[in-house]
Amino acid sequence: MRCIECGARYAAGERIYFCPRCGGLLDVEYERDRAEALKPFSTSFKERPLSVWRYRELLPIGNESRIISLNEGGTGLIRCRNLERELGLREVYCKNEGENPTGSFKDRGMTVGVTKAVELGARTTICASTGNTSSSLAAYSAKAGLECVVLVPAGKIALGKLSQAVIHGAKVIAVRGGFDDCLRLVRELSKDRRFYLLNSINPFRIEGQKTAAFEIYEQLGGVPDNLFIPIGNAGNITAYWKGFKELKELGLTDRLPRFMGVQAEGASPIYRAFIKGSDEVKPFGRVETVATAIRIGNPVNWKRALRSVRETGGRVGAVSDEEILEAQRILASKEGIFAEPASAASIAFLIKAAREKLIDRDSRSVCVITGHGLKDPDVVLRRVRLREVDADVESVLEAIGGVSEKAAVTLR
Ligand SMILES: *Cc1c(COP(=O)(O)O)cnc(C)c1O
Ligand SMILES: [Zn+2]
């Protein structure tokens, strides 16, 4: 592991989350044989299906380790022709991470992170979470036979996510404060060696999450021109950046996608730094957005997020809650994909980018749909009232109020 600040190196078997010398974040580096690293890309899908562990030569896990897996990764890359037509874009795809075992991309990181926890002899895992990290960590810890503790902001976690953490047997602690407070607390607690920390500070989670970039490359037969991705703590954008860079280092591609990161307006410190051209991200003290998974004011991985965007000629955008909810409705009603609000932010930014001509109409875009809409059904049901009718055909027909002869696709 190499410190991203001072460059100091440490063995992957050391149980540290930050550089002991300067407190910087750690990046996993490999001394590997190129032929070995290329093996996953020439192995048939019959022999090794598309999944996180298809890429095991590119993951920092020993051959003898017990792998804790629930069959994560291998998610669909779905062509969105209705969106293409409406937005006047040639190719748009959604990488549907809601298909993962607990319903979000967090499972890619947790299968590697919890496998590492077992390898290191940990007994109890811990994390701070806006929701999906706790769902995922609870499930993988249960599978591994580890105890799990999760800290969540009281009253600010979506119902689906909370129910998962509870049923998988985690000790769920509701903290009076926001995600940033929870993270500060678990960082403090993780100095106690009884707790193994699995937030996206943990470099092994980033390693698991980078496999989504490998999958997109294999599914498309190349890299896309633009990658739209929501940013919360900025672990995932860091992971995709690492994944695409590794493809380049291996000689599988000679270019990287433009990184189009997006935040919710009410929690957009990286966006602010980006538009000011600043190299410092000033944390937001107070954050508010319907997209609870990205309701983060002080993103730990901000430095790598900014670099990924700047080095690929991309952008950081910000979208309002209204734009997020509209994008969620459009994606669900035009493409059949139900995304949670944070995930719909990438679609909201795609719509904005198409309208403002921030991307070329002939380019190929992939939007990362980070989590399933069923995680947070309240956000949809809050806005509708079901009409009840008497149990007869006339009443039902009247309530239907007519059906159109031809199907139309319109974006309002
Ligand atoms: C965790 C999460 C994010 C944000 O990912 P980061 O790595 O924190 O930037 C976005 N969407 C969903 C659904 C998430 O669960
Ligand atoms: Zn350091």
Side-chain angles (χ1 to χ4, degrees):
M1 297 182 287
R2 184 205 282 272
C3 171
I4 69 165
E5 303 290 343
C6 76
R9 287 161 176 253
Y10 306 94
E14 277 190 62
R15 199 166 149 181
I16 48 172
Y17 317 100
F18 302 97
C19 174
R21 241 168 64 187
C22 78
L25 292 169
L26 302 169
D27 215 7
V28 177
E29 284 187 348
Y30 298 82
E31 281 163 25
R32 62 189 162 204
D33 178 57
R34 185 161 173 272
E36 182 83 352
L38 282 170
K39 199 166 133 196
F41 299 96
S42 56
T43 304
S44 76
F45 289 111
K46 195 169 167 196
E47 197 176 323
R48 277 196 207 180
L50 200 65
S51 70
V52 168
W53 294 102
R54 173 175 171 83
Y55 307 102
R56 56 178 170 255
E57 284 84 358
L58 294 122
L59 295 172
I61 299 295
N63 283 335
E64 282 80 54
S65 291
R66 182 179 143 226
I67 288 174
I68 310 299
S69 172
L70 292 166
N71 193 25
E72 48 295 307
T75 59
L77 185 71
I78 297 155
R79 182 90 185 249
C80 296
R81 293 190 188 271
N82 293 331
L83 272 182
E84 288 170 4
R85 205 172 308 131
E86 272 314 305
L87 299 174
L89 298 172
R90 198 180 48 123
E91 273 183 70
V92 174
Y93 299 82
C94 280
K95 180 65 171 162
N96 191 12
E97 292 289 282
E99 293 173 20
N100 276 298
T102 77
S104 84
F105 74 83
K106 301 294 196 298
D107 295 340
R108 290 184 187 271
M110 286 305 174
T111 185
V112 175
V114 173
T115 294
K116 198 72 189 180
V118 170
E119 195 180 88
L120 294 172
R123 290 281 170 80
T124 307
T125 56
I126 192 169
C127 73
S129 177
T130 59
N132 284 329
T133 300
S134 62
S135 307
S136 185
L137 183 58
Y140 284 86
S141 298
K143 176 84 175 170
L146 302 177
E147 246 192 318
C148 174
V149 179
V150 305
L151 272 62
V152 298
K156 290 290 180 192
I157 167 166
L159 217 59
K161 305 176 186 182
L162 190 57
S163 63
Q164 287 177 294
V166 170
I167 199 67
H168 290 306
K171 288 184 180 160
V172 180
I173 321 282
V175 174
R176 285 188 211 104
F179 170 82
D180 301 299
D181 296 298
C182 296
L183 186 60
R184 175 175 51 81
L185 290 167
V186 297
R187 279 171 77 151
E188 191 64 32
L189 285 167
S190 68
K191 288 178 189 155
D192 179 338
R193 290 183 61 83
R194 287 176 303 169
F195 298 113
Y196 185 72
L197 181 62
L198 271 161
N199 275 100
S200 57
I201 307 162
N202 185 308
F204 302 111
R205 268 188 57 198
I206 306 276
E207 291 305 297
Q209 288 171 206
K210 79 184 176 188
T211 58
F214 302 159
E215 289 184 9
I216 290 172
Y217 164 81
E218 294 210 85
Q219 288 169 308
L220 273 185
V223 305
D225 299 306
N226 312 302
L227 183 82
F228 287 86
I229 181 168
I231 306 176
N233 226 351
N236 209 30
I237 191 170
T238 299
Y240 274 81
W241 189 41
K242 187 157 197 275
F244 283 115
K245 276 194 302 186
E246 286 186 12
L247 291 171
K248 196 170 167 209
E249 281 156 23
L250 289 171
L252 292 167
T253 176
D254 54 9
R255 62 196 190 96
L256 303 175
R258 290 175 71 208
F259 275 55
M260 305 289 281
V262 58
Q263 296 197 292
E265 275 174 5
S268 53
I270 298 179
Y271 168 71
R272 297 269 158 231
F274 177 78
I275 53 169
K276 275 199 280 179
S278 160
D279 283 331
E280 276 305 315
V281 167
K282 284 212 195 73
F284 274 33
R286 191 168 297 157
V287 281
E288 204 43 81
T289 168
V290 66
T292 50
I294 52 174
R295 191 176 171 276
I296 293 174
N298 188 15
V300 266
N301 284 296
W302 64 266
K303 201 168 265 183
R304 287 182 284 190
L306 269 183
R307 279 188 60 195
S308 71
V309 168
R310 290 196 173 131
E311 286 184 17
T312 60
R315 280 172 177 271
V316 184
V319 289
S320 68
D321 280 4
E322 204 175 308
E323 289 170 313
I324 288 173
L325 294 174
E326 177 67 357
Q328 183 188 39
R329 190 188 64 76
I330 290 166
L331 185 65
S333 62
K334 309 299 181 199
E335 295 292 350
I337 299 172
F338 186 16
E340 66 165 282
S343 316
S346 54
I347 300 296
F349 192 28
L350 173 80
I351 294 171
K352 198 175 249 186
R355 289 195 176 141
E356 293 174 11
K357 307 215 171 358
L358 303 178
I359 54 173
D360 190 51
R361 52 164 298 128
D362 283 326
S363 62
R364 191 152 72 160
S365 298
V366 170
C367 299
V368 182
I369 302 303
T370 47
H372 201 289
L374 282 175
K375 293 277 194 168
D376 196 357
D378 287 349
V379 84
V380 177
L381 294 176
R382 225 181 278 143
R383 290 177 291 153
V384 298
R385 240 195 26 245
L386 282 190
R387 177 169 163 199
E388 286 186 14
V389 300
D390 291 332
D392 57 69
V393 169
E394 290 85 82
S395 305
V396 172
L397 275 177
E398 195 219 292
I400 293 170
V403 286
S404 58
E405 302 294 319
K406 62 170 198 275
V409 177
T410 43
L411 294 188
R412 270 188 285 123

